[in-house]
Structure formats: structure tokens, C-alpha cells
Amino acid sequence: DTGVSQDPRHKITKRGQNVTFRCDPISEHNRLYWYRQTLGQGPEFLTYFQNEAQLEKSRLLSDRFSAERPKGSFSTLEIQRTEQGDSAMYLCASTLDRAETQYFGPGTRLLVL
Amino acid sequence: AQTVTQSQPEMSVQEAETVTLSCTYDTSESDYYLFWYKQPPSRQMILVIRQEAYKQQNATENRFSVNFQKAAKSFSLKISDSQLGDAAMYFCAYRKTQGGSEKLVFGKGMKLTVNP
């Protein structure tokens, strides 16, 4: 089993630019989660997919954020018109079943200048 | 809303000694999961141990064990025979078992230093 992978691992962008991150879950995991972690804090939930359906979104997910999981496999998280406050680590996790443990990827560290 | 509190931002322990990390949480649910995750510097978050609230027995994984006090809403992690590789951020997390959100709710974390 390969683990959860995320790409890119690091991204530096200028304020106002759009960025897109990708997450590949563990194969056969039908549930995929996005979290955001700022410095000195624990991860905070952003959104969750079961297969291709986006079933829950946090209030943290402003209208500049959009996430997709078009075929129920990999997912993308796009941030439009980035702001300095978007600088954070974006973590992806996956699991096979609600009762199971969420397995995390290495994260994408975003720096908005 | 559920909350998770880790009141100690940092701790240190000597190699081979035992350390206990504390965590309290607030919920009105009767059944839920509790987790301890470890995040080494610049590395991904990995599960250390998990506890299901309906189980009376405290979970144990090798050198890691928990003290789960449901009435007190306390979930502490004990690391025995500490090793240099245990140095990391440790996060306590909560999740409902049924209905509603599947999200993990994390505490702010605690930085553990292991001294040789």
C-alpha cells in the first residue's frame, strides 16, 4: 500500500495568484479529507468527500476555495486570489470507512508573499 | 461544538524515561473516538494510538498507552522508555462515531523534546 501523496510539497506564490493542490488517497479509500494547519496550531477541517460527493464544508472554506474529486479518486483544492492569510500547511487524509483511522499525507506548504 | 484542549505547549523528557501528555475534551456525545497523532519535524502526521469511548479498557500500543477517563473527559498519553525518535509534535484529536460530521477535531498540539 502506498500512502497518501500530495503535490506539490511546497508552493510559493504572490498575493492575488491562484494555486491548485493535488491529493492522491490510499487506493480503495473512498473518503478524502482536507485540513489546514497554521503555525503553532492543530489541523483544522476544511472539507470532506465520500467518493465524488462533497458532503461537508467548513466555514473556513471561503468562496475563494474550491475542492473537487471528479472521479472519486484524487482530489484537488484550488485557492483563488490568494491572500497572505492563506499561508499554511494543507493536509489531505483518507480512510476506507467512517469507523477507520484517517491516514494523512505529507502536506503542501503554501507561502503567499 | 466539540473542543479538544492540550494545556501544555511543550515538554521534555530524558531518553529511557516515561512522560505523560495530557488532553481534555468537551462533548455531549456518549460514543466517539479519541486519537493521539504524532507529527515529527517536516514529516507527515502518523497515528500513535486510538481509543473508542465505549471500550472500558485503555488502549496500548507497545511503549504507548492511554489513560482514558470518560467521566472527567480526559485522555492522556503515556510514553514509556522514551526514545530520541519520539521527539515530535503530538496532537490529541476527537471524532464522532455516528451521525453528522466525520471531521477530526484537534488540539493545538504539544512539542515533545527527548534529551539524550
Side-chain angles (χ1 to χ4, degrees):
Chain A
D1 239 357
T2 56
V4 178
S5 61
Q6 293 187 246
D7 185 70
R9 296 290 305 277
H10 303 273
K11 179 71 177 179
I12 300 175
T13 191
K14 293 182 179 179
R15 190 175 53 185
Q17 298 294 305
N18 299 345
V19 294
T20 299
F21 310 140
R22 175 178 170 129
C23 170
D24 286 88
I26 294 171
S27 60
E28 301 176 355
H29 279 192
N30 60 8
R31 287 165 151 85
L32 187 149
Y33 308 81
W34 285 99
Y35 293 84
R36 182 173 72 182
Q37 186 179 17
T38 54
L39 204 60
Q41 301 294 320
E44 294 174 290
F45 172 77
L46 292 178
T47 190
Y48 141 66
F49 292 85
Q50 183 173 336
N51 299 311
E52 65 275 10
Q54 189 173 18
L55 297 185
E56 186 179 357
K57 292 197 290 187
S58 161
R59 285 173 293 176
L60 290 175
L61 213 65
S62 75
D63 55 6
R64 297 185 297 105
F65 288 71
S66 62
E68 294 183 341
R69 194 182 183 200
K71 296 182 179 178
S73 56
F74 71 92
S75 175
T76 58
L77 177 68
E78 181 184 17
I79 309 174
Q80 296 182 326
R81 305 181 302 281
T82 52
E83 301 173 356
Q84 288 183 326
D86 297 330
S87 296
M89 175 78 86
Y90 290 84
L91 297 169
C92 177
S94 72
T95 187
L96 178 60
D97 182 85
R98 183 191 180 101
E100 296 300 315
T101 297
Q102 292 180 21
Y103 293 92
F104 282 82
T108 294
R109 186 173 294 282
L110 172 66
L111 178 60
V112 182
L113 301 176
Chain B
Q2 292 81 19
T3 58
V4 176
T5 302
Q6 294 178 253
S7 56
Q8 304 154 300
E10 291 191 45
M11 292 186 76
S12 63
V13 63
Q14 290 297 126
E15 197 175 3
E17 294 190 347
T18 296
V19 64
T20 299
L21 286 58
S22 63
C23 171
T24 58
Y25 59 95
D26 188 24
T27 183
S28 58
E29 304 288 330
S30 59
D31 197 17
Y32 44 86
Y33 297 107
L34 295 166
F35 305 84
W36 279 98
Y37 279 90
K38 168 185 176 182
Q39 189 176 41
S42 302
R43 295 180 61 187
Q44 68 197 77
M45 192 166 307
I46 58 175
L47 177 72
V48 175
I49 199 165
R50 110 180 198 160
Q51 175 81 40
E52 295 170 51
Y54 74 87
K55 289 187 177 179
Q56 302 280 353
Q57 190 170 6
N58 288 326
T60 299
E61 287 288 340
N62 301 312
R63 298 182 296 107
F64 300 88
S65 61
V66 299
N67 183 5
F68 173 48
Q69 302 287 329
K70 191 172 184 179
K73 296 181 181 174
S74 169
F75 183 60
S76 61
L77 174 70
K78 185 171 84 171
I79 306 175
S80 303
D81 186 26
S82 297
Q83 300 176 358
L84 295 177
D86 295 334
M89 287 292 296
Y90 285 82
F91 293 94
C92 179
Y94 163 100
R95 198 182 89 217
K96 288 184 181 181
T97 54
Q98 298 179 35
S101 180
E102 293 194 15
K103 68 182 179 185
L104 286 165
V105 177
F106 285 88
K108 288 190 174 182
M110 193 224 67
K111 181 179 179 180
L112 179 67
T113 301
V114 181
N115 299 312

